[in-house]
Amino acid sequence: MPVNPEKDTLKIIDIVYQRKRVVLVFAFAAFALGITARLLKPREYKAETFFILKNHLYADKTYLYSKDMRYINYYGSEDDIERLVALIESDTIQNTLISELNLMKHYKADSTSDKEVRLLKKTIAKKVKIMRTPQKSASLSYTDKSPEMAAKIANRYLQLLEYTLRTNYNSVRKDVQHSLQDKIAQEDRSIALLTDSLARMRKYYGIYQIINPARENMMLNGNIENNGHPEFAEGLELIQNLESIKDQAVTDRAEHISLLNQYVTGEKADDLSLIQLIKVAEPPLKPSDMGIVATSIISLILGAAFGIIYAILQYRIKQA
């Protein structure tokens, strides 16, 4: 049987018209429920703080000592924003926030109940939103029934997120520093031991020339003459080997000290601020939820839509 869209549309209109009372009942019922819920629900306020996330690679030793940084962006990428989002549910951050702002009392939660503490942390995490703006900056917003508390939480949350991200980054740098410091200390001991051994061997064999073949400017003017020591040849080989090992150890130690100095640059947390604050969150003047007019219109539309669906289904059932 061919489908006639125009005829079907007229049929639906006729069905709805015949059952207009049902549609009106649904519409006004939804309107009443929407207005009641709107009046009973506490108003919510959204406080927003805006910031620019800096690119931490600019402070990394790989780029800090590079001669070409043209391709490194000044600002953080989407991945950096995602790292901030991942830290929203950090226990350390939430515990600090709850303690400093006395959120247990504010949200009427029992601090002795693990279940209520977990629920409070989930509630806090849901109220925080971090978004990228079209201007390449970012915003952190927090929604609460108190405009003053919403602003306080938004500002403090951003501070804690930045501090945690910065501390995590610096901890990686410090791990490398400690590894280099341990290696340099080990090389110092090895060089001291080699120096002592070389001094004793030179005194015993009477060989005081620099005879390390690894040094390109040494081994001047032919062979070293025998000084008459019965073990001269053996001493020459031993001293040559030790000198080569010591020279390489000194070279490695100098490179490691240079690397350590590069990693130490900007190691303090205060030297590596990762966020440039643009606008501090202030207590909002207007609530962020829908007003009575918007709630009324949406409730009427949804109620009427459900009423139409119900009227059509009722007609289909009777025709079956």
Side-chain angles (χ1 to χ4, degrees):
M1 184 176 179
V3 178
N4 189 334
E6 184 177 353
K7 184 178 179 181
D8 291 343
T9 303
L10 292 174
K11 183 65 176 177
I12 291 173
I13 293 174
D14 183 59
I15 294 170
V16 172
Y17 180 77
Q18 292 178 11
R19 291 165 174 77
K20 56 182 178 293
R21 289 186 179 179
V22 174
V23 176
L24 290 174
V25 168
F26 270 86
F28 283 110
F31 171 79
L33 289 174
I35 293 298
T36 303
R38 168 64 185 78
L39 294 174
L40 293 177
K41 183 183 177 183
R43 306 303 302 271
E44 290 193 332
Y45 298 83
K46 184 171 75 171
E48 274 189 295
T49 175
F50 294 88
F51 61 94
I52 294 176
L53 188 61
K54 299 177 184 178
N55 189 347
H56 66 275
L57 291 179
Y58 257 96
D60 188 83
K61 80 101 190 168
T62 305
Y63 298 97
L64 190 63
Y65 291 87
S66 173
K67 295 181 180 180
D68 190 358
M69 297 180 68
R70 291 176 297 174
Y71 306 108
I72 305 299
N73 198 332
Y74 281 108
Y75 306 116
S77 64
E78 294 294 337
D79 290 339
D80 296 314
I81 297 292
E82 291 300 322
R83 291 187 186 97
L84 279 183
V85 174
L87 289 173
I88 284 177
E89 297 188 29
S90 165
D91 281 335
T92 303
I93 292 176
Q94 290 189 335
N95 289 338
T96 303
L97 198 70
I98 290 170
S99 174
E100 289 183 355
L101 300 180
N102 198 13
L103 296 185
M104 285 292 181
K105 180 180 179 181
H106 179 71
Y107 287 107
K108 297 180 176 59
D110 183 5
S111 60
T112 61
S113 171
D114 292 339
K115 182 178 179 181
E116 288 197 27
V117 172
R118 287 196 298 269
L119 288 174
L120 175 59
K121 289 182 177 181
K122 288 182 179 180
T123 301
I124 293 173
K126 289 179 180 179
K127 290 175 175 288
V128 182
K129 302 293 181 185
I130 296 179
M131 303 291 291
R132 187 71 118 158
T133 67
Q135 293 77 27
K136 301 300 182 183
S137 61
S139 68
L140 183 148
S141 63
Y142 190 86
T143 305
D144 191 79
K145 61 185 180 180
S146 166
E148 291 79 15
M149 183 59 75
K152 287 181 181 179
I153 295 175
N155 290 323
R156 188 56 181 145
Y157 224 123
L158 183 60
Q159 293 172 356
L160 292 172
L161 285 172
E162 191 273 341
Y163 176 79
T164 304
L165 188 65
R166 187 171 12 123
T167 303
N168 290 344
Y169 173 64
N170 281 336
S171 69
V172 176
R173 292 165 57 89
K174 288 181 179 179
D175 287 343
V176 177
Q177 292 173 29
H178 294 156
S179 177
L180 286 170
Q181 288 169 344
D182 292 342
K183 186 62 178 177
I184 291 170
Q186 180 184 347
E187 289 168 341
D188 285 340
R189 292 191 294 269
S190 299
I191 291 171
L193 181 61
L194 289 168
T195 300
D196 182 67
S197 299
L198 275 172
R200 292 176 180 273
M201 291 175 67
R202 287 184 182 279
K203 185 177 181 180
Y204 177 77
Y205 292 108
I207 301 172
Y208 298 99
Q209 296 92 334
I210 298 175
I211 54 176
N212 181 3
R215 299 190 181 185
E216 297 178 357
N217 61 337
M218 298 303 166
M219 296 299 294
L220 305 176
N221 300 325
N223 298 327
I224 298 176
E225 295 183 0
N226 191 327
N227 61 8
H229 194 283
E231 298 175 346
F232 175 80
E234 180 183 1
L236 187 65
E237 291 298 324
L238 290 174
I239 290 173
Q240 179 177 257
N241 290 339
L242 279 182
E243 263 197 286
S244 178
I245 295 171
K246 180 186 174 184
D247 275 6
Q248 186 61 52
V250 171
T251 301
D252 293 344
R253 178 176 176 272
E255 291 179 356
H256 292 151
I257 289 175
S258 177
L259 277 174
L260 179 60
N261 288 333
Q262 292 177 24
Y263 274 105
V264 168
T265 303
E267 72 169 343
K268 295 180 180 179
D270 293 339
D271 294 340
L272 292 172
S273 177
L274 297 179
I275 282 179
Q276 177 63 50
L277 190 62
I278 298 175
K279 182 180 181 296
V280 176
E282 297 177 352
L285 300 177
K286 296 180 179 180
S288 59
D289 52 7
M290 291 187 297
I292 293 180
V293 175
T295 302
S296 302
I297 294 172
I298 292 175
S299 299
L300 283 171
I301 292 173
L302 290 176
F306 282 113
I308 291 171
I309 294 172
Y310 177 79
I312 294 173
L313 289 175
Q314 190 181 46
Y315 172 79
R316 296 292 185 188
I317 292 171
K318 287 183 177 181
Q319 293 296 317

